[in-house]
Amino acid sequence: RAKQIKSTKAMLYALDMDADVELQATMEQKLKVAMENDELAVHYQPQIDPNNGELVGMEALARWQSDCLGHVSPAQFIPIAEEAGLITKLGGQVARKAMVQLAKWQQQFPERTIKLSINVSPGELMRSRFATEFIECVKSTDVDISQITVEITESAAIGDLDHSRAMLQQLVDAGISVSLDDFGTGYSSLSLLKQLPLEWVKIDRSFISNIDSEAANKDIVRSIVMMCHSFGYKTVAEGVETSAELKFISNAGCDLVQGFYYSKPLPADEFEKRYLQYADICSASDTSAKH
Ligand code: C2E
Ligand code: MG
Ligand code: MG
Ligand code: MG
């Protein structure tokens, strides 16, 4: 009987695996079609200066609303795109869309400086033409290149460190900034931090969201901020959701905040309404008051 149960379990597990493999294959197929039809959207999450609550920039995040699968999270479809060899095309589509949008906003709101962060996957960074093509993309869209930041993770950099460093240095030489994403979850290597041409380090959400339940996280966050500053890097706190977290982060000396406390990622029109038009109306009425 025990043997039978064991084999039933094994069979269910195998069925489960089959279903998984099938779902992966379906997703891969649907993703391909969605990309061909240019159906991927980009949402924008504000990055705010915690000292004055002002918008500094935004992170572009890929969104996929599939007719038959519904909303699929990037945590799910980005790895699929990586495995299926679609990531370069996907990354290119997202980057182009976001830069076209930024160029529009830079023209429409010339008095604002708006930074744009774009996520780059290991599979993209690995390619020898990555930096050249990324720079070409920026130049073809008329955006102010000094406002563009590329976000990479430690795991992306570490694969072939010499190659990654060369790619990132090429971006930096062209005027693009580099940000290390999800810091604290991977290797968190000090020597890696020192070796990459960074401007920003993003402290992973897991430290911020457990600040109250795990006292050690406060020390960790403070230490990361101090260490980054001593290296000359600025810090972004990811995943700030409460005013208590905001207060702590601000006291810890974090330079920028990104999180649901301010806003979740928004479609372009909503982002524009909330963060660009409103601010524009304010400054317009300021000027009229002076006359
Ligand atoms: P990430 O680059 O670390 O992006 C931040 C993620 O944290 C986003 O999830 C964002 O919605 C979420 N987030 C921000 N603030 C909060 C908060 O206060 N609370 C909580 N619970 N979550 C918060 P999202 O959009 O689901 O993206 C997940 C990951 O997928 C990204 O993590 C990034 O690694 C990847 N990704 C998304 N878009 C792209 C893309 O265009 N290219 C590449 N290569 N990767 C992407
Ligand atoms: Mg990111
Ligand atoms: Mg992150
Ligand atoms: Mg992440």
Side-chain angles (χ1 to χ4, degrees):
R1 191 171 152 74
K3 203 174 175 185
Q4 193 190 340
I5 289 172
K6 209 174 155 193
S7 69
T8 310
K9 256 190 172 170
M11 197 180 74
L12 285 175
Y13 180 71
L15 277 175
D16 221 42
M17 289 279 288
D18 278 353
D20 258 20
V21 170
E22 212 169 294
L23 181 63
Q24 293 278 114
T26 309
M27 277 203 183
E28 185 182 320
Q29 188 49 38
K30 301 283 177 203
L31 182 61
K32 229 182 221 159
V33 174
M35 284 171 50
E36 271 158 24
N37 298 339
D38 199 24
E39 283 169 12
L40 294 189
V42 182
H43 283 194
Y44 302 90
Q45 187 175 33
Q47 298 176 323
I48 309 278
D49 179 343
N51 300 307
N52 54 21
E54 275 177 27
L55 177 81
V56 172
M58 63 213 173
E59 177 174 9
L61 294 154
R63 290 291 177 265
W64 179 25
Q65 180 69 38
S66 157
D67 287 341
C68 66
L69 299 167
H71 171 80
V72 187
S73 152
Q76 241 180 327
F77 70 78
I78 295 289
I80 290 178
E82 281 258 358
E83 278 166 40
L86 298 169
I87 193 66
T88 295
K89 191 170 171 202
L90 189 152
Q93 282 188 0
V94 171
R96 169 162 293 275
K97 234 172 228 180
M99 286 181 208
V100 167
Q101 183 61 66
L102 178 66
K104 226 174 113 197
W105 281 336
Q106 284 177 340
Q107 283 199 337
Q108 222 177 326
F109 307 98
E111 72 285 3
R112 310 289 307 265
T113 38
I114 319 162
K115 294 182 179 296
L116 170 67
S117 280
I118 293 173
N119 291 288
V120 168
S121 284
E124 294 175 85
L125 187 66
M126 214 175 68
R127 296 175 59 248
S128 58
R129 285 188 48 79
F130 164 70
T132 304
E133 286 173 8
F134 191 89
I135 293 164
E136 276 169 9
C137 178
V138 179
K139 293 195 167 155
S140 72
T141 54
D142 264 354
V143 291
D144 175 356
I145 199 166
S146 70
Q147 303 304 317
I148 302 290
T149 298
V150 157
E151 295 193 3
I152 57 148
T153 56
E154 288 172 283
S155 56
I158 228 158
D160 179 346
L161 187 55
D162 287 337
H163 169 78
S164 304
R165 262 208 319 249
M167 286 294 112
L168 299 176
Q169 192 58 52
Q170 197 183 335
L171 297 179
V172 170
D173 291 343
I176 295 166
S177 305
V178 180
S179 179
L180 192 61
D181 207 352
D182 305 341
F183 185 74
T185 55
Y187 309 87
S188 309
S189 147
L190 298 193
S191 100
L192 181 70
L193 259 191
K194 229 9 218 176
Q195 288 181 65
L196 296 174
L198 304 175
E199 181 167 342
W200 300 94
V201 173
K202 298 184 81 170
I203 305 169
D204 191 71
R205 177 157 58 98
S206 55
F207 297 109
I208 316 289
S209 54
N210 294 318
I211 264 172
D212 282 327
S213 53
E214 284 176 58
N217 281 343
K218 287 195 171 171
D219 296 328
I220 293 174
V221 170
R222 280 194 208 101
S223 314
I224 294 177
V225 173
M226 280 196 297
M227 180 183 66
C228 288
H229 283 171
S230 76
F231 285 172
Y233 307 149
K234 289 173 282 188
T235 52
V236 183
E238 294 194 279
V240 170
E241 295 186 355
T242 67
S243 58
E245 286 162 5
L246 178 66
K247 198 168 160 199
F248 170 76
I249 281 306
S250 168
N251 286 334
C254 237
D255 303 278
L256 279 186
V257 168
Q258 195 182 329
F260 293 174
Y261 176 77
Y262 285 112
S263 172
K264 35 174 219 184
L266 300 169
D269 54 344
E270 272 179 57
F271 185 92
E272 183 176 319
K273 262 185 227 138
R274 275 180 61 178
Y275 289 97
L276 300 170
Q277 279 175 5
Y278 174 67
D280 197 38
I281 289 165
C282 284
S283 59
S285 65
D286 277 359
T287 2
S288 62
K290 276 181 213 143
H291 289 289

